[in-house]
Amino acid sequence: MANVTVIGGQWGDEGKGKVIDWLANRADVVVRFQGGNNAGHTIVVGDTTYKLSLLPSGVIQGKLSIIGNGVVVDPWSLLDEIERGRGQGLALTPDVLVLAENATLVLPLHRDLDAAREARAGANKIGTTGRGIGPAYEDKVGRRAIRFADLTDREALEGKIERLLAHHDALRLGLGLPQVQPHELLALLLDLAPKITPYVKPAWKVLGDAVKDGKRVLFEGAQATLLDVDHGTYPYVTSSNTVAGQVAAGSGVGPKVGGYVLGIVKAYTTRVGEGPFPTELSDEIGRRLGEKGHEFGTVTGRPRRCGWFDAALVRQSIAVGGVEGVVLTKLDILDGFTTLKVCTGYTLRGEPIDHLPAGLRDQAALEPVYEELEGWSGSTQGARSWKDLPANAVKYVRRIEELIGAPVVLLSTSPQRDDIIMMRDPFQG
Ligand code: IMP
């Protein structure tokens, strides 16, 4: 039995939540290894809709759920989510939920900085989720972050606050923000400590023991490869590595533990926030995709930008992300289109190019090259077997497989948990 790592293959919002929930059912342990509460997973089980942001999706099934050191955690947001989950009947005890002692805290000053920078950036803004994710990661690599282990050591905490504020005071002064009072931040953190520390553990050890015991682990990625800080459409990206290579560093296991890498890919393309998007449709078709696909951000409620499937981008995501098989989601949103277009590559200033170049101006100048495919009039919604799919829908999936160079191993046909067609069990490797 292999472990499985799930990552997004486009710009996020590919429907990872549902797939992760489905896989979590088959796993013993679920681990988050990057990102923070910029992520938003919606999981529909019968009449109940769960909206998870920091909690690993394993909590819905009561599986051991680990928030790894690679995650930046807003502890107040996490406590709210725990409360909400309990209200929906989830057993969120420290036996189920483990928070890495070496994970970084997202503080109110990180949100302030995120908002102030975005407000000042004008046309250059990133379009962040405003959750303070970027500033928290900056403090982590700047070696001035407060980590969960610090909460139980008042003396160390005072020193860390001093070091942190020496940096933030200067920034806040420049941005016209009021200074943070060290004693107020200390009081806030000391108040937080008893509420959060029951969950705080050496997560690498808890996970390592589970792996030694032969438990099946699901690594749950947030955001997606094109939002990766190295491989995405930089600077219009998030501040963490979202590729499968991050599993090891972000949870404290060896590079082979991540197992089979599953990329989640939507049957068309969307993105929230700013940045290049070669197949974006600013016309009636784009609006139709957005309306039918309910394309609004889970975290911010912003309408998502929509466009045709971009096979060139996904091909690149598969290569840099280490993806072995793909889950294709939201095929049903394409039901009823007479013709569908798929981008197979680009031209850049008249020259053919088969990948996304790293330069921002080049990315913005790409002209997609399209292949047209016939649509289908029947419905794919809720299909649970290949036989239920219209012939042209099968052709669409097969052509995508050829163009991206990876097999579609699962097909998701509605938001409902069991509306899935399985070609191959990812846990079998
Ligand atoms: P940040 O992660 O809040 O700094 O936002 C940086 C970029 O990543 C923005 O374009 C966000 O819209 C995007 N982003 C962050 N998290 C998600 C997500 O979970 N889904 C889709 N886009 C996201």
Side-chain angles (χ1 to χ4, degrees), residues 11-13 38-40 126-130 133-134 223 227 237-238 272-274 302:
W11 277 293
D13 311 309
N38 47 351
I126 305 285
T128 72
T129 60
I133 304 299
Q223 292 85 47
L227 290 170
V237 292
T238 193
V272 238
E274 311 304 314
R302 291 177 289 179

Side-chain angles (χ1 to χ4, degrees), residues 196-257:
I196 203 84
T197 42
Y199 302 99
V200 176
K201 292 185 188 149
W204 62 271
K205 200 163 181 305
V206 175
L207 178 57
D209 289 346
V211 171
K212 263 189 229 137
D213 286 349
K215 304 282 188 215
R216 269 200 225 186
V217 188
L218 173 66
F219 292 92
E220 169 179 349
Q223 292 85 47
T225 309
L226 292 165
L227 290 170
D228 182 282
V229 67
D230 287 292
H231 297 289
T233 44
Y234 190 91
Y236 298 100
V237 292
T238 193
S239 296
S240 63
N241 284 113
T242 58
V243 292
Q246 172 63 15
V247 162
S251 57
V253 290
K256 292 184 184 161
V257 178

Side-chain angles (χ1 to χ4, degrees), residues 11-69:
W11 277 293
D13 311 309
E14 299 94 350
K16 289 189 289 297
K18 169 186 158 169
V19 177
I20 287 167
D21 169 63
W22 190 83
L23 290 165
N25 211 3
R26 290 155 179 77
D28 303 305
V29 186
V30 183
V31 184
R32 277 281 306 268
F33 55 92
Q34 49 73 227
N37 63 335
N38 47 351
H41 288 171
T42 307
I43 296 162
V44 183
V45 184
D47 294 336
T48 312
T49 300
Y50 299 96
K51 288 196 181 292
L52 303 182
S53 193
L54 274 162
L55 289 174
S57 303
V59 295
I60 294 178
Q61 334 243 8
K63 303 291 173 78
L64 176 60
S65 298
I66 298 179
I67 300 178
N69 57 279

